[in-house]
Amino acid sequence: DIFLSAKFQGYDNFFSVDNMKGKASCKLHLQSHLGLNQDENVPMIAFIGRLAYQKGIDIIEGVFPWLLQEDHAKVTGYVQVV
């Protein structure tokens, strides 16, 4: 497994639900790789799948207006969609 072998090749930015130590550096690396602004505090949303109704894209599309506005529920209006 290439991901397991990477763990033994000097990479130290792994994280899990039990150990979130490397999450910020993973996020910054992903943002850099994708050409996004690098900010460890910005929410990122990813969708992997076909842009088809049966995959739930209509549900995801339905929350965009809420995500892009600032409100009392700590939604900042600043989000990266990948």
Side-chain angles (χ1 to χ4, degrees):
D1 183 297
I2 62 169
F3 298 107
L4 287 177
S5 66
K7 196 169 191 174
F8 301 104
Q9 294 177 14
Y11 295 98
D12 62 356
N13 61 346
F14 294 92
F15 71 95
S16 70
V17 70
D18 297 322
N19 180 2
M20 300 297 277
K21 180 181 169 193
K23 182 177 180 183
S25 73
C26 285
K27 186 179 211 177
L28 292 171
H29 177 78
L30 178 63
Q31 290 169 329
S32 172
H33 185 73
L34 296 174
L36 301 170
N37 290 332
Q38 294 180 41
D39 182 348
E40 66 184 64
N41 296 311
V42 68
M44 289 182 74
I45 298 173
F47 175 77
I48 301 175
R50 294 189 331 261
L51 299 177
Y53 177 77
Q54 65 265 49
K55 297 296 182 184
I57 192 65
D58 57 319
I59 297 168
I60 296 169
E61 186 267 336
V63 300
F64 283 151
W66 175 74
L67 286 172
L68 298 174
Q69 69 179 357
E70 191 169 341
D71 70 12
H72 66 282
K74 304 216 187 279
V75 176
T76 65
Y78 181 59
V79 63
Q80 293 174 332
V81 179
V82 181

